[in-house]
Amino acid sequence: MIGYIILALFNGIMIGLCRGINGRLSQVKGPFNASFYNHLIGVLVLTLIIIGAVMFSVWDLQDLLSVTKQAGELAPWPVYLGGVIGALYVTVNSHILTCIGALKAALFVISGQMITGVIFDISEQSLTSSLAQLLGVVLIISGVYISQRVNRADKKSS
């Protein structure tokens, strides 16, 4: 379990780095171009990884080509929307990061993820943990709001 926790933390660090890098690229090239380059480079790197994995027999080429099949059936089309959502996420995040800053962008993105988690938990009838998560979202958004008000008050007084 600790290995998964460390991997999740590492993934969070990588997402934070990605946000910052894409935000900088967005300042130079614009959010859609930043997203395009992000995904183009990602496709190229993943292609090289897949080619290497097939060459070194880590993955079987037939298994890779049949990933859309599960138990002999095609996967339903909505499961492929993750790619569309991911591309939109990178584009929107590249833009908002330059407008509201890295910390606020991260906090609101995490809040949105928590809201989605609450909705999923409610749909699975896990109301107790959902209420705790919802409280966490409220606290995060309240903290950002209070921080923003304090910053405005500091600017007015100086």
Side-chain angles (χ1 to χ4, degrees), residues 60-127:
D60 179 34
L61 185 59
Q62 291 301 321
D63 288 344
L64 286 174
L65 296 176
S66 65
V67 292
T68 59
K69 293 184 179 181
Q70 186 175 8
E73 297 179 18
L74 289 176
W77 70 267
V79 301
Y80 298 103
L81 291 177
V84 174
I85 293 168
L88 288 172
Y89 162 79
V90 170
T91 305
V92 169
N93 201 68
S94 295
H95 178 65
I96 64 165
L97 188 118
T98 62
C99 298
I100 65 173
L103 180 62
K104 289 178 191 161
L107 289 173
F108 284 122
V109 166
I110 291 167
S111 296
Q113 291 171 337
M114 290 179 70
I115 289 168
T116 304
V118 169
I119 292 168
F120 286 157
D121 283 351
I122 288 172
S123 71
E124 295 174 4
Q125 297 163 354
S126 174
L127 193 57

Side-chain angles (χ1 to χ4, degrees), residues 18-99:
C18 181
R19 285 179 181 153
I21 292 167
N22 287 335
R24 292 290 259 164
L25 185 59
S26 178
Q27 288 176 323
V28 176
K29 296 285 189 181
F32 284 100
N33 287 337
S35 181
F36 171 77
Y37 288 117
N38 176 286
H39 289 90
L40 176 66
I41 300 301
V43 164
L44 294 175
V45 169
L46 285 175
T47 300
L48 291 174
I49 290 171
I50 289 170
I51 290 170
V54 169
M55 286 175 55
F56 292 104
S57 300
V58 175
W59 289 328
D60 179 34
L61 185 59
Q62 291 301 321
D63 288 344
L64 286 174
L65 296 176
S66 65
V67 292
T68 59
K69 293 184 179 181
Q70 186 175 8
E73 297 179 18
L74 289 176
W77 70 267
V79 301
Y80 298 103
L81 291 177
V84 174
I85 293 168
L88 288 172
Y89 162 79
V90 170
T91 305
V92 169
N93 201 68
S94 295
H95 178 65
I96 64 165
L97 188 118
T98 62
C99 298

